[in-house]
Amino acid sequence: INSEGRQIFLRDIWPTRDEIQAVERTFVIPSMFKEVYKKIEKVNERWNSLVAPSDNLYTWDEKSTYIKSPPFFDGLTMKLPPPESIKEAFVLLNLGDSVTTDHISPAGNIARSSAAARYLTERGLTPREYNSYGSRRGNDAVMARGTFANIRLFNKFLNKQAPQTIYLPTGETFDVFDAAEMYKQSGVPLLVLAGKEYGSGSSRDWAAKGPFLLGIKAVLAESYERIHRSNLVGMGVIPLEYLPGDTAESLGLTGRERYTIIIPEQLTPRMVVDVKLNTGKTFKVRMRFDTDVELTYFHNGGILNYMIRKMSQN
């Protein structure tokens, strides 16, 4: 409202296109750009004094705690391996409803008591140098240690909120990453049990990359947030869904069983497959590969491997 009490709208003060172009023609002249870009290689002495490698390919610095060569392509072959059943998997986490990507994905500052902090301390960093997970998203070793490291994560194994779980072979409690590493060293595949709307909240790529790095082969949930389910598929992690009416409770699952998921060679979208427990119990679940394209990604071990193979063929 102006001094006369009249309402003023943006359209009343916004310049017309003709007025803007008149200013551009008068003041925005080619010599301005020529002057700036002619000096661009000379004016910043500090930038020009930086030493840069001349290699055609990026040279990984083994000492860097920010950027690290990721293991996503380790063991990649041009020939597609046949799909394999998941045999005798342990449950890494037994979760309930509405587990969000904030619970899963590394986010925020790196806590001094965390597995990521221990990793950085071993490399000579002090707590003031830890920085945040976001700043270190180029280092998979940090990000894997920050996966499921949220202090608000409620794990039914512990019956409380904590970024920890039980290592089932011994019954001991560890940080989630440390337990996953012990399973990995034993060559054991891992599974996550969850309830409704697993992966809800904002979409985060590390909410799928992190579980992949922990050795999680599949998630068994009542339902999924749409984009997170797609992200799991993109990392080659199998989204399994209980059949209508089934839940962990109705099936009597404690999470302490060992799970074998029977995956046939010939797969179709939304296929129903068998899950066999070491207790002798068997039940059926649906594989949430919803399209043939998603099955293609799965056969390749994820979208990253698919793209590398496709680029190599071209």
Side-chain angles (χ1 to χ4, degrees), residues 47-288:
W47 174 262
N48 293 332
S49 65
L50 291 176
V51 178
S54 58
D55 309 62
N56 290 329
L57 296 177
Y58 183 78
T59 303
W60 299 102
D61 181 358
E62 295 296 327
K63 296 180 181 179
S64 174
T65 56
Y66 278 97
I67 300 177
K68 177 178 171 293
S69 178
F72 298 137
F73 307 112
D74 291 355
L76 178 65
T77 59
M78 284 300 296
K79 185 178 180 181
L80 289 184
E84 294 183 357
S85 297
I86 299 172
K87 298 177 181 177
E88 294 287 308
F90 275 103
V91 173
L92 179 63
L93 291 159
N94 189 0
L95 307 173
D97 295 340
S98 300
V99 173
T100 72
T101 50
D102 285 331
H103 291 112
I104 307 167
S105 185
N109 290 329
I110 296 173
R112 295 189 180 195
S113 60
S114 65
R118 292 195 295 274
Y119 169 86
L120 294 172
T121 299
E122 289 167 0
R123 280 148 187 80
L125 274 67
T126 61
R128 65 181 296 176
E129 298 171 305
Y130 289 166
N131 214 327
S132 65
Y133 287 109
S135 69
R136 295 187 181 276
R137 61 185 292 114
N139 186 328
D140 64 272
V142 171
M143 299 300 277
R145 285 164 172 79
T147 301
F148 293 112
N150 191 309
I151 61 173
R152 302 299 181 196
L153 181 74
F154 188 90
N155 184 0
K156 292 180 183 179
F157 284 153
L158 303 174
N159 201 30
K160 65 177 183 179
Q161 291 180 337
Q164 296 177 318
T165 195
I166 293 176
Y167 179 63
L168 295 174
T170 64
E172 296 174 276
T173 299
F174 293 97
D175 286 345
V176 174
F177 173 81
D178 295 328
E181 278 296 288
M182 295 169 70
Y183 284 122
K184 188 180 294 185
Q185 290 167 10
S186 302
V188 177
L190 296 174
L191 184 72
V192 168
L193 295 185
K196 299 180 182 68
E197 285 299 308
Y198 181 76
S200 57
S202 58
S203 175
R204 299 179 187 271
D205 60 329
W206 271 103
K209 290 176 181 174
F212 168 83
L213 292 172
L214 293 182
I216 293 168
K217 301 300 182 184
V219 177
L220 175 54
E222 293 178 48
S223 63
Y224 292 87
E225 192 281 329
R226 178 179 59 87
I227 298 175
H228 182 63
R229 183 201 63 80
S230 178
N231 288 346
L232 289 175
V233 172
M235 288 308 300
V237 178
I238 305 174
L240 301 172
E241 194 169 86
Y242 293 103
L243 295 185
D246 284 349
T247 65
E249 287 73 22
S250 72
L251 293 169
L253 306 180
T254 67
R256 296 175 181 271
E257 309 87 355
R258 298 193 69 173
Y259 292 69
T260 295
I261 295 99
I262 307 301
I263 302 175
E265 280 198 33
Q266 299 300 319
L267 299 177
T268 56
R270 300 180 66 85
M271 189 175 193
V272 173
V273 296
D274 289 322
V275 177
K276 296 182 178 180
L277 307 182
N278 62 331
T279 60
K281 184 180 183 66
T282 300
F283 60 96
K284 294 183 182 295
V285 297
R286 188 176 302 281
M287 298 178 74
R288 284 297 310 276

